[in-house]
Amino acid sequence: MKSNINKLILIEVIAGILFAFIASKILHMTAALQIMYLPFELIGKGLRFLSLSSAIGNVIAIIIYAAISMIPAIYIIYQRKRGRTQKEDILLVAFTGLLFYSLYMFINPGLMYQKMPDIFSMDQSSLIVMKIIYAFIIYSVLIMWLIMKAIRFLGDDSQKNWKSRLYFGMKGLIAALVSYYTLLITYAKTFELLHKSENKLQNVSSIEWFKSVLQLLPIIMTILLFINIIHVVKAIEDHKEEQQMMTVARLASVAKVTAVVTVISDFILNFYQFLLGATLQNVNVTFAPDVSMEPLIIAFGALIFHEYFKRTKQLKEENDQFI
């Protein structure tokens, strides 16, 4: 289990660095979040090129456009024939209409200017923001449907082995969080450094590296927290009390270190910015106060769980003595 998680994190780190190089050096993106709409951008450009190539190309583009947009509806029809449709599948009907509309906008990005709020300026940066918004809406509907499906799957008491499904869901959720967190942070920080090095003629200042290291330390500790949480769930699933206590105690230790590292990193970074504010302005580096709340919240939750688990075990041992 531990080996698989370590391999997963290594793959996520490599993938994040690779995506950052592709986005920054090959696709020449100016913002890390542009990768959110990359699939739709490629589909839109491809269909637009095919449509403008010839009359036959236009017909083929329309067919491909309709086929892609109808994928959720086709899935619903297939599931309905098998008698497996559920209430949450109504989201896929809305998702079909959303795909039709959103892909059309990506095929004709000039139309997005007409949908921009008045506070936006009519420039390329505003168009990037609009594309990110469209992509975010698409992902949010899909994620909502997946979450509702997962809740139904884990809460179905009519099936056997509900405990194994529950533990599987818990481990899967935490593993997904670890993957998302690792991939996102690795990609974002690598993209940021690549973008700044390009703007500064391949020269990233030591201050930027210093800031990146201080910001990454709490993130690394948070990933270690998630990994230890997976080990705790695995120990509970195996019903090994000694292993449970060891993993929970290890989780508490990592949580304490995470809290300390996070507070110290934020303090050093913010104090360093305060003392060297004038110097930072001279090298044209913008700093904002850093407060890493997520690692502290997760670490605090882990410590509460440790105390609850410890007290529960003590109470069980006292009850066993009376019996």
Side-chain angles (χ1 to χ4, degrees):
M1 181 71 180
K2 183 177 180 179
S3 177
N4 292 335
I5 293 297
N6 293 338
K7 289 179 181 178
L8 177 63
I9 291 176
L10 179 60
I11 293 173
E12 296 286 345
V13 170
I14 295 174
I17 295 173
L18 181 61
F19 288 157
F21 269 98
I22 293 175
S24 178
K25 300 301 183 182
I26 298 178
L27 300 177
H28 303 290
M29 292 182 175
T30 57
L33 286 178
Q34 284 182 262
I35 201 168
M36 284 184 62
Y37 64 76
L38 180 60
F40 311 109
E41 179 85 348
L42 295 176
I43 293 173
K45 286 184 176 180
L47 293 178
R48 184 168 64 253
F49 173 80
L50 188 61
S51 178
L52 297 175
S53 62
S54 64
I56 298 178
N58 183 47
V59 173
I60 296 175
I62 293 175
I63 294 174
I64 295 175
Y65 161 63
I68 294 174
S69 302
M70 287 294 294
I71 289 176
I74 294 173
Y75 173 81
I76 293 178
I77 294 172
Y78 174 73
Q79 290 293 90
R80 186 172 181 81
K81 287 183 176 180
R82 301 178 65 185
R84 294 184 178 181
T85 52
Q86 305 291 344
K87 292 180 180 179
E88 60 270 12
D89 291 334
I90 192 65
L91 283 173
L92 293 182
V93 178
F95 191 57
T96 301
L98 180 61
L99 274 182
F100 264 108
Y101 177 76
S102 300
L103 287 180
Y104 184 77
M105 299 300 286
F106 275 99
I107 295 171
N108 304 279
L111 296 176
M112 290 187 184
Y113 285 109
Q114 302 176 9
K115 306 297 180 181
M116 286 184 183
D118 295 335
I119 59 173
F120 282 12
S121 57
M122 304 293 285
D123 56 14
Q124 184 64 25
S125 61
S126 297
L127 182 60
I128 290 174
V129 173
M130 288 298 296
K131 289 180 178 180
I132 292 174
I133 292 174
Y134 275 98
F136 179 79
I137 294 173
I138 293 173
Y139 292 136
S140 62
V141 174
L142 182 59
I143 291 173
M144 188 187 308
W145 175 75
L146 290 173
I147 291 175
M148 294 178 70
K149 276 290 185 184
I151 292 174
R152 180 177 293 277
F153 172 74
L154 296 176
D156 189 358
D157 295 333
S158 62
Q159 299 182 20
K160 297 180 179 179
N161 301 323
W162 64 269
K163 280 189 177 181
S164 61
R165 287 188 289 110
L166 180 60
Y167 287 127
F168 174 80
M170 293 172 63
K171 290 184 292 184
L173 175 61
I174 299 170
L177 288 173
V178 173
S179 300
Y180 172 77
Y181 203 69
T182 305
L183 180 61
L184 178 66
I185 295 301
T186 304
Y187 164 75
K189 296 305 295 183
T190 305
F191 184 93
E192 179 184 353
L193 290 173
L194 288 173
H195 188 62
K196 289 179 178 179
S197 68
E198 185 176 348
N199 292 339
K200 296 180 181 180
L201 301 178
Q202 310 300 323
N203 182 29
V204 179
S205 66
S206 58
I207 296 173
E208 288 297 329
W209 286 107
F210 180 71
K211 176 184 176 182
S212 296
V213 170
L214 288 177
Q215 289 177 332
L216 282 174
L217 283 176
I219 294 169
I220 293 172
M221 295 306 303
T222 305
I223 294 173
L224 292 177
L225 266 178
F226 280 129
I227 294 174
N228 279 275
I229 291 173
I230 294 178
H231 294 160
V232 171
V233 175
K234 177 63 177 174
I236 295 175
E237 181 183 10
D238 294 339
H239 301 289
K240 297 179 180 179
E241 292 190 7
E242 184 177 350
Q243 187 69 17
Q244 291 173 14
M245 289 304 303
M246 289 177 57
T247 54
V248 172
R250 191 182 305 119
L251 174 63
S253 300
V254 176
K256 292 176 183 177
V257 175
T258 300
V260 172
V261 169
T262 301
V263 172
I264 293 177
S265 297
D266 287 347
F267 174 78
I268 293 176
L269 180 58
N270 293 322
F271 189 68
Y272 186 75
Q273 293 176 89
F274 175 76
L275 291 180
L276 302 181
T279 305
L280 297 179
Q281 291 176 5
N282 291 335
V283 296
N284 194 29
V285 178
T286 302
F287 275 88
D290 281 87
V291 181
S292 304
M293 292 301 300
E294 295 88 351
L296 292 176
I297 293 173
I298 297 172
F300 185 66
L303 290 173
I304 292 177
F305 176 77
H306 171 256
E307 288 300 318
Y308 171 79
F309 195 89
K310 184 173 65 174
R311 302 296 181 187
T312 302
K313 183 170 178 58
Q314 290 176 352
L315 183 60
K316 180 179 179 299
E317 291 176 349
E318 291 176 0
N319 291 335
D320 290 343
Q321 289 177 358
F322 284 110
I323 294 174

